[in-house]
Amino acid sequence: GDSVTQMEGPVTLSEEAFLTINCTYTATGYPSLFWYVQYPGEGLQLLLKATKADDKGSNKGFEATYRKETTSFHLEKGSVQVSDSAVYFCALYQAGTALIFGKGTTLSVSS
Amino acid sequence: EAGVAQSPRYKIIEKRQSVAFWCNPISGHATLYWYQQILGQGPKLLIQFQNNGVVDDSQLPKDRFSAERLKGVDSTLKIQPAKLEDSAVYLCASSALGVTDTQYFGPGTRLTVL
């Protein structure tokens, strides 16, 4: 079945460092891909999405590009802030099915 | 626009007891989802409703879990009797009709079964 694999955490960075969180997927067909963020004590929030190959999703300085050839959707940010500390989930969706999430990657940013 | 509301936020029960969670989706959203998020894992779909009909409940442990969505708005998820392995965060999400790839999540209910 379809699945999502994310890099293990936690990821610990200093403020203004460059962030990459790797995500790869396995799917039949052509899924839409998502990054969700979960701040402490809050629900999941959609961070960005891409619906077809080579699309780039972006929001709040975060970016991810849908790479069909490598089945990847890596999350990047050029300069992280303390307020970016959260758990990040990669997910895929195909019509008629449920959202399928990775296990999540915890990001901790220190000042 | 108000988001997805859930209550209670936290619940602690003994095993074999019953518990119920409530969800109020975003106004006008036809599709409602319940997810289970076990510590250290991503959310897993338990059940999906469209209006008041069930679309997918293939992952719902029907011997102990039940859910309903009366009148196509609010929903309740019940566990009876609870087991230790049911300790998790239960997330409710909703989406607009025909836009099921964009789901909005509530804050969740953290259940601890002792």
mmCIF file of all heavy atoms in Angstrom, chain B residues 1-35:
data_model
loop_
_atom_site.group_PDB
_atom_site.id
_atom_site.type_symbol
_atom_site.label_atom_id
_atom_site.label_comp_id
_atom_site.label_asym_id
_atom_site.label_seq_id
_atom_site.Cartn_x
_atom_site.Cartn_y
_atom_site.Cartn_z
ATOM 1 N N GLU B 1 -13.403 32.889 10.698
ATOM 2 C CA GLU B 1 -14.056 31.580 10.572
ATOM 3 C C GLU B 1 -13.577 30.691 11.710
ATOM 4 O O GLU B 1 -12.380 30.531 11.911
ATOM 5 C CB GLU B 1 -13.680 30.958 9.228
ATOM 6 C CG GLU B 1 -14.283 29.571 9.009
ATOM 7 C CD GLU B 1 -13.817 28.965 7.692
ATOM 8 O OE1 GLU B 1 -12.706 28.440 7.637
ATOM 9 O OE2 GLU B 1 -14.597 29.026 6.731
ATOM 10 N N ALA B 2 -14.527 30.115 12.458
ATOM 11 C CA ALA B 2 -14.150 29.253 13.564
ATOM 12 C C ALA B 2 -13.572 27.958 13.009
ATOM 13 O O ALA B 2 -13.997 27.456 11.961
ATOM 14 C CB ALA B 2 -15.372 28.961 14.417
ATOM 15 N N GLY B 3 -12.599 27.412 13.749
ATOM 16 C CA GLY B 3 -11.969 26.165 13.340
ATOM 17 C C GLY B 3 -12.744 24.976 13.843
ATOM 18 O O GLY B 3 -13.869 25.076 14.337
ATOM 19 N N VAL B 4 -12.126 23.811 13.727
ATOM 20 C CA VAL B 4 -12.716 22.566 14.213
ATOM 21 C C VAL B 4 -12.603 22.542 15.737
ATOM 22 O O VAL B 4 -11.518 22.756 16.281
ATOM 23 C CB VAL B 4 -12.002 21.349 13.601
ATOM 24 C CG1 VAL B 4 -12.565 20.063 14.175
ATOM 25 C CG2 VAL B 4 -12.110 21.376 12.085
ATOM 26 N N ALA B 5 -13.712 22.305 16.396
ATOM 27 C CA ALA B 5 -13.729 22.262 17.858
ATOM 28 C C ALA B 5 -13.833 20.827 18.336
ATOM 29 O O ALA B 5 -14.549 20.004 17.749
ATOM 30 C CB ALA B 5 -14.906 23.071 18.395
ATOM 31 N N GLN B 6 -13.095 20.537 19.404
ATOM 32 C CA GLN B 6 -13.146 19.205 20.002
ATOM 33 C C GLN B 6 -13.210 19.334 21.515
ATOM 34 O O GLN B 6 -12.654 20.254 22.098
ATOM 35 C CB GLN B 6 -11.897 18.381 19.655
ATOM 36 C CG GLN B 6 -11.814 17.963 18.220
ATOM 37 C CD GLN B 6 -10.657 17.006 17.983
ATOM 38 O OE1 GLN B 6 -9.688 17.326 17.296
ATOM 39 N NE2 GLN B 6 -10.763 15.795 18.541
ATOM 40 N N SER B 7 -13.890 18.382 22.136
ATOM 41 C CA SER B 7 -13.887 18.314 23.599
ATOM 42 C C SER B 7 -14.104 16.868 24.029
ATOM 43 O O SER B 7 -14.672 16.069 23.277
ATOM 44 C CB SER B 7 -14.975 19.208 24.191
ATOM 45 O OG SER B 7 -16.253 18.704 23.878
ATOM 46 N N PRO B 8 -13.578 16.510 25.206
ATOM 47 C CA PRO B 8 -12.697 17.326 26.032
ATOM 48 C C PRO B 8 -11.294 17.390 25.429
ATOM 49 O O PRO B 8 -11.021 16.705 24.447
ATOM 50 C CB PRO B 8 -12.679 16.555 27.360
ATOM 51 C CG PRO B 8 -12.822 15.117 26.934
ATOM 52 C CD PRO B 8 -13.765 15.148 25.758
ATOM 53 N N ARG B 9 -10.410 18.177 25.980
ATOM 54 C CA ARG B 9 -9.036 18.221 25.500
ATOM 55 C C ARG B 9 -8.208 17.091 26.089
ATOM 56 O O ARG B 9 -7.276 16.601 25.464
ATOM 57 C CB ARG B 9 -8.405 19.563 25.861
ATOM 58 C CG ARG B 9 -8.976 20.762 25.102
ATOM 59 C CD ARG B 9 -8.691 20.675 23.598
ATOM 60 N NE ARG B 9 -7.294 20.434 23.298
ATOM 61 C CZ ARG B 9 -6.378 21.383 23.215
ATOM 62 N NH1 ARG B 9 -6.720 22.648 23.396
ATOM 63 N NH2 ARG B 9 -5.122 21.085 22.918
ATOM 64 N N TYR B 10 -8.545 16.695 27.299
ATOM 65 C CA TYR B 10 -7.816 15.623 27.980
ATOM 66 C C TYR B 10 -8.817 14.724 28.692
ATOM 67 O O TYR B 10 -9.839 15.192 29.183
ATOM 68 C CB TYR B 10 -6.831 16.190 29.012
ATOM 69 C CG TYR B 10 -5.867 17.199 28.436
ATOM 70 C CD1 TYR B 10 -6.163 18.553 28.445
ATOM 71 C CD2 TYR B 10 -4.663 16.781 27.861
ATOM 72 C CE1 TYR B 10 -5.292 19.475 27.904
ATOM 73 C CE2 TYR B 10 -3.783 17.698 27.322
ATOM 74 C CZ TYR B 10 -4.110 19.048 27.347
ATOM 75 O OH TYR B 10 -3.239 19.954 26.812
ATOM 76 N N LYS B 11 -8.481 13.431 28.735
ATOM 77 C CA LYS B 11 -9.331 12.480 29.439
ATOM 78 C C LYS B 11 -8.459 11.354 29.954
ATOM 79 O O LYS B 11 -7.643 10.795 29.208
ATOM 80 C CB LYS B 11 -10.402 11.932 28.498
ATOM 81 C CG LYS B 11 -11.486 11.125 29.168
ATOM 82 C CD LYS B 11 -12.429 11.998 29.937
ATOM 83 C CE LYS B 11 -13.567 11.176 30.540
ATOM 84 N NZ LYS B 11 -14.496 12.025 31.328
ATOM 85 N N ILE B 12 -8.655 11.033 31.241
ATOM 86 C CA ILE B 12 -7.963 9.901 31.840
ATOM 87 C C ILE B 12 -9.016 8.937 32.355
ATOM 88 O O ILE B 12 -9.919 9.337 33.097
ATOM 89 C CB ILE B 12 -7.044 10.352 32.993
ATOM 90 C CG1 ILE B 12 -6.000 11.345 32.487
ATOM 91 C CG2 ILE B 12 -6.370 9.141 33.643
ATOM 92 C CD1 ILE B 12 -5.152 11.969 33.597
ATOM 93 N N ILE B 13 -8.908 7.672 31.942
ATOM 94 C CA ILE B 13 -9.876 6.663 32.379
ATOM 95 C C ILE B 13 -9.145 5.377 32.733
ATOM 96 O O ILE B 13 -7.980 5.186 32.371
ATOM 97 C CB ILE B 13 -10.948 6.377 31.295
ATOM 98 C CG1 ILE B 13 -10.292 5.824 30.018
ATOM 99 C CG2 ILE B 13 -11.770 7.616 31.002
ATOM 100 C CD1 ILE B 13 -11.296 5.343 28.984
ATOM 101 N N GLU B 14 -9.854 4.500 33.418
ATOM 102 C CA GLU B 14 -9.331 3.175 33.709
ATOM 103 C C GLU B 14 -9.692 2.259 32.543
ATOM 104 O O GLU B 14 -10.707 2.467 31.861
ATOM 105 C CB GLU B 14 -9.968 2.623 34.989
ATOM 106 C CG GLU B 14 -9.738 3.469 36.233
ATOM 107 C CD GLU B 14 -8.381 3.189 36.861
ATOM 108 O OE1 GLU B 14 -7.843 2.095 36.635
ATOM 109 O OE2 GLU B 14 -7.876 4.069 37.569
ATOM 110 N N LYS B 15 -8.874 1.216 32.352
ATOM 111 C CA LYS B 15 -9.211 0.247 31.290
ATOM 112 C C LYS B 15 -10.573 -0.370 31.599
ATOM 113 O O LYS B 15 -10.983 -0.489 32.748
ATOM 114 C CB LYS B 15 -8.129 -0.814 31.150
ATOM 115 C CG LYS B 15 -7.895 -1.648 32.373
ATOM 116 C CD LYS B 15 -6.733 -2.624 32.126
ATOM 117 C CE LYS B 15 -6.475 -3.447 33.368
ATOM 118 N NZ LYS B 15 -5.316 -4.346 33.213
ATOM 119 N N ARG B 16 -11.244 -0.715 30.541
ATOM 120 C CA ARG B 16 -12.598 -1.287 30.552
ATOM 121 C C ARG B 16 -13.696 -0.244 30.766
ATOM 122 O O ARG B 16 -14.872 -0.566 30.657
ATOM 123 C CB ARG B 16 -12.745 -2.423 31.577
ATOM 124 C CG ARG B 16 -11.962 -3.678 31.180
ATOM 125 C CD ARG B 16 -12.266 -4.832 32.133
ATOM 126 N NE ARG B 16 -11.709 -4.594 33.452
ATOM 127 C CZ ARG B 16 -10.469 -4.933 33.796
ATOM 128 N NH1 ARG B 16 -9.655 -5.487 32.923
ATOM 129 N NH2 ARG B 16 -10.036 -4.709 35.032
ATOM 130 N N GLN B 17 -13.307 1.008 31.037
ATOM 131 C CA GLN B 17 -14.321 2.059 31.104
ATOM 132 C C GLN B 17 -14.685 2.533 29.698
ATOM 133 O O GLN B 17 -14.033 2.181 28.707
ATOM 134 C CB GLN B 17 -13.808 3.234 31.936
ATOM 135 C CG GLN B 17 -13.787 2.966 33.430
ATOM 136 C CD GLN B 17 -13.434 4.206 34.223
ATOM 137 O OE1 GLN B 17 -12.606 5.029 33.819
ATOM 138 N NE2 GLN B 17 -14.070 4.360 35.371
ATOM 139 N N SER B 18 -15.713 3.359 29.650
ATOM 140 C CA SER B 18 -16.163 3.936 28.378
ATOM 141 C C SER B 18 -15.786 5.405 28.319
ATOM 142 O O SER B 18 -15.622 6.067 29.354
ATOM 143 C CB SER B 18 -17.678 3.811 28.250
ATOM 144 O OG SER B 18 -18.068 2.465 28.328
ATOM 145 N N VAL B 19 -15.645 5.906 27.093
ATOM 146 C CA VAL B 19 -15.316 7.318 26.919
ATOM 147 C C VAL B 19 -15.915 7.785 25.595
ATOM 148 O O VAL B 19 -16.084 6.988 24.663
ATOM 149 C CB VAL B 19 -13.784 7.530 26.946
ATOM 150 C CG1 VAL B 19 -13.102 6.847 25.763
ATOM 151 C CG2 VAL B 19 -13.439 9.008 26.998
ATOM 152 N N ALA B 20 -16.241 9.067 25.543
ATOM 153 C CA ALA B 20 -16.787 9.636 24.306
ATOM 154 C C ALA B 20 -16.128 10.971 24.032
ATOM 155 O O ALA B 20 -15.843 11.744 24.952
ATOM 156 C CB ALA B 20 -18.300 9.815 24.422
ATOM 157 N N PHE B 21 -15.888 11.216 22.755
ATOM 158 C CA PHE B 21 -15.281 12.464 22.305
ATOM 159 C C PHE B 21 -16.262 13.156 21.365
ATOM 160 O O PHE B 21 -16.973 12.502 20.608
ATOM 161 C CB PHE B 21 -13.975 12.201 21.552
ATOM 162 C CG PHE B 21 -13.041 11.261 22.242
ATOM 163 C CD1 PHE B 21 -12.531 10.154 21.574
ATOM 164 C CD2 PHE B 21 -12.667 11.458 23.554
ATOM 165 C CE1 PHE B 21 -11.666 9.277 22.193
ATOM 166 C CE2 PHE B 21 -11.808 10.585 24.186
ATOM 167 C CZ PHE B 21 -11.307 9.486 23.506
ATOM 168 N N TRP B 22 -16.213 14.474 21.376
ATOM 169 C CA TRP B 22 -17.128 15.266 20.552
ATOM 170 C C TRP B 22 -16.350 16.143 19.588
ATOM 171 O O TRP B 22 -15.264 16.638 19.912
ATOM 172 C CB TRP B 22 -18.000 16.116 21.485
ATOM 173 C CG TRP B 22 -18.871 17.097 20.780
ATOM 174 C CD1 TRP B 22 -20.087 16.880 20.205
ATOM 175 C CD2 TRP B 22 -18.608 18.494 20.581
ATOM 176 N NE1 TRP B 22 -20.585 18.035 19.671
ATOM 177 C CE2 TRP B 22 -19.699 19.040 19.882
ATOM 178 C CE3 TRP B 22 -17.536 19.335 20.931
ATOM 179 C CZ2 TRP B 22 -19.772 20.382 19.524
ATOM 180 C CZ3 TRP B 22 -17.597 20.674 20.583
ATOM 181 C CH2 TRP B 22 -18.719 21.174 19.881
ATOM 182 N N CYS B 23 -16.911 16.341 18.410
ATOM 183 C CA CYS B 23 -16.280 17.180 17.395
ATOM 184 C C CYS B 23 -17.327 18.033 16.701
ATOM 185 O O CYS B 23 -18.390 17.520 16.301
ATOM 186 C CB CYS B 23 -15.552 16.324 16.366
ATOM 187 S SG CYS B 23 -14.920 17.245 14.936
ATOM 188 N N ASN B 24 -17.007 19.297 16.531
ATOM 189 C CA ASN B 24 -17.839 20.202 15.741
ATOM 190 C C ASN B 24 -16.990 20.722 14.587
ATOM 191 O O ASN B 24 -16.016 21.455 14.819
ATOM 192 C CB ASN B 24 -18.347 21.357 16.602
ATOM 193 C CG ASN B 24 -19.229 22.313 15.813
ATOM 194 O OD1 ASN B 24 -18.876 23.478 15.618
ATOM 195 N ND2 ASN B 24 -20.350 21.835 15.354
ATOM 196 N N PRO B 25 -17.296 20.370 13.354
ATOM 197 C CA PRO B 25 -16.441 20.743 12.226
ATOM 198 C C PRO B 25 -16.634 22.211 11.834
ATOM 199 O O PRO B 25 -17.493 22.909 12.369
ATOM 200 C CB PRO B 25 -16.945 19.832 11.117
ATOM 201 C CG PRO B 25 -18.400 19.653 11.432
ATOM 202 C CD PRO B 25 -18.470 19.608 12.930
ATOM 203 N N ILE B 26 -15.842 22.643 10.896
ATOM 204 C CA ILE B 26 -15.997 23.979 10.340
ATOM 205 C C ILE B 26 -17.365 24.058 9.660
ATOM 206 O O ILE B 26 -17.770 23.117 8.956
ATOM 207 C CB ILE B 26 -14.862 24.296 9.366
ATOM 208 C CG1 ILE B 26 -13.543 24.448 10.137
ATOM 209 C CG2 ILE B 26 -15.159 25.551 8.557
ATOM 210 C CD1 ILE B 26 -12.315 24.615 9.270
ATOM 211 N N SER B 27 -18.038 25.179 9.878
ATOM 212 C CA SER B 27 -19.381 25.340 9.338
ATOM 213 C C SER B 27 -19.409 25.125 7.822
ATOM 214 O O SER B 27 -18.579 25.688 7.089
ATOM 215 C CB SER B 27 -19.886 26.753 9.658
ATOM 216 O OG SER B 27 -21.170 26.974 9.103
ATOM 217 N N GLY B 28 -20.318 24.271 7.394
ATOM 218 C CA GLY B 28 -20.472 24.019 5.973
ATOM 219 C C GLY B 28 -19.633 22.888 5.419
ATOM 220 O O GLY B 28 -19.815 22.490 4.262
ATOM 221 N N HIS B 29 -18.715 22.367 6.220
ATOM 222 C CA HIS B 29 -17.873 21.263 5.735
ATOM 223 C C HIS B 29 -18.666 19.962 5.770
ATOM 224 O O HIS B 29 -19.138 19.533 6.806
ATOM 225 C CB HIS B 29 -16.614 21.143 6.594
ATOM 226 C CG HIS B 29 -15.555 22.102 6.190
ATOM 227 N ND1 HIS B 29 -14.249 22.017 6.652
ATOM 228 C CD2 HIS B 29 -15.574 23.155 5.340
ATOM 229 C CE1 HIS B 29 -13.540 22.989 6.114
ATOM 230 N NE2 HIS B 29 -14.320 23.689 5.312
ATOM 231 N N ALA B 30 -18.746 19.321 4.613
ATOM 232 C CA ALA B 30 -19.554 18.114 4.489
ATOM 233 C C ALA B 30 -18.817 16.871 4.979
ATOM 234 O O ALA B 30 -19.441 15.901 5.407
ATOM 235 C CB ALA B 30 -19.970 17.909 3.028
ATOM 236 N N THR B 31 -17.498 16.898 4.909
ATOM 237 C CA THR B 31 -16.729 15.693 5.226
ATOM 238 C C THR B 31 -16.050 15.835 6.576
ATOM 239 O O THR B 31 -15.440 16.862 6.854
ATOM 240 C CB THR B 31 -15.693 15.412 4.126
ATOM 241 O OG1 THR B 31 -16.344 15.454 2.854
ATOM 242 C CG2 THR B 31 -15.085 14.029 4.303
ATOM 243 N N LEU B 32 -16.169 14.810 7.380
ATOM 244 C CA LEU B 32 -15.599 14.812 8.728
ATOM 245 C C LEU B 32 -14.801 13.530 8.929
ATOM 246 O O LEU B 32 -15.215 12.452 8.488
ATOM 247 C CB LEU B 32 -16.715 14.913 9.773
ATOM 248 C CG LEU B 32 -16.300 15.040 11.251
ATOM 249 C CD1 LEU B 32 -17.307 15.904 12.001
ATOM 250 C CD2 LEU B 32 -16.147 13.689 11.902
ATOM 251 N N TYR B 33 -13.657 13.656 9.581
ATOM 252 C CA TYR B 33 -12.739 12.539 9.787
ATOM 253 C C TYR B 33 -12.383 12.423 11.274
ATOM 254 O O TYR B 33 -12.228 13.435 11.955
ATOM 255 C CB TYR B 33 -11.419 12.760 9.032
ATOM 256 C CG TYR B 33 -11.547 13.230 7.616
ATOM 257 C CD1 TYR B 33 -11.806 14.574 7.330
ATOM 258 C CD2 TYR B 33 -11.380 12.358 6.541
ATOM 259 C CE1 TYR B 33 -11.915 15.019 6.024
ATOM 260 C CE2 TYR B 33 -11.475 12.805 5.231
ATOM 261 C CZ TYR B 33 -11.750 14.133 4.982
ATOM 262 O OH TYR B 33 -11.841 14.573 3.684
ATOM 263 N N TRP B 34 -12.195 11.212 11.719
ATOM 264 C CA TRP B 34 -11.583 10.937 13.022
ATOM 265 C C TRP B 34 -10.284 10.173 12.772
ATOM 266 O O TRP B 34 -10.259 9.162 12.064
ATOM 267 C CB TRP B 34 -12.493 10.082 13.900
ATOM 268 C CG TRP B 34 -13.629 10.809 14.531
ATOM 269 C CD1 TRP B 34 -14.938 10.801 14.138
ATOM 270 C CD2 TRP B 34 -13.575 11.634 15.702
ATOM 271 N NE1 TRP B 34 -15.701 11.574 14.964
ATOM 272 C CE2 TRP B 34 -14.892 12.100 15.942
ATOM 273 C CE3 TRP B 34 -12.547 12.033 16.566
ATOM 274 C CZ2 TRP B 34 -15.200 12.936 17.017
ATOM 275 C CZ3 TRP B 34 -12.857 12.853 17.631
ATOM 276 C CH2 TRP B 34 -14.175 13.302 17.848
ATOM 277 N N TYR B 35 -9.210 10.687 13.394
ATOM 278 C CA TYR B 35 -7.891 10.061 13.313
ATOM 279 C C TYR B 35 -7.430 9.674 14.713
ATOM 280 O O TYR B 35 -7.748 10.345 15.702
ATOM 281 C CB TYR B 35 -6.847 11.020 12.736
ATOM 282 C CG TYR B 35 -6.982 11.342 11.271
ATOM 283 C CD1 TYR B 35 -7.830 12.348 10.824
ATOM 284 C CD2 TYR B 35 -6.234 10.654 10.324
ATOM 285 C CE1 TYR B 35 -7.939 12.648 9.478
ATOM 286 C CE2 TYR B 35 -6.317 10.960 8.973
ATOM 287 C CZ TYR B 35 -7.176 11.955 8.560
ATOM 288 O OH TYR B 35 -7.279 12.261 7.227
#
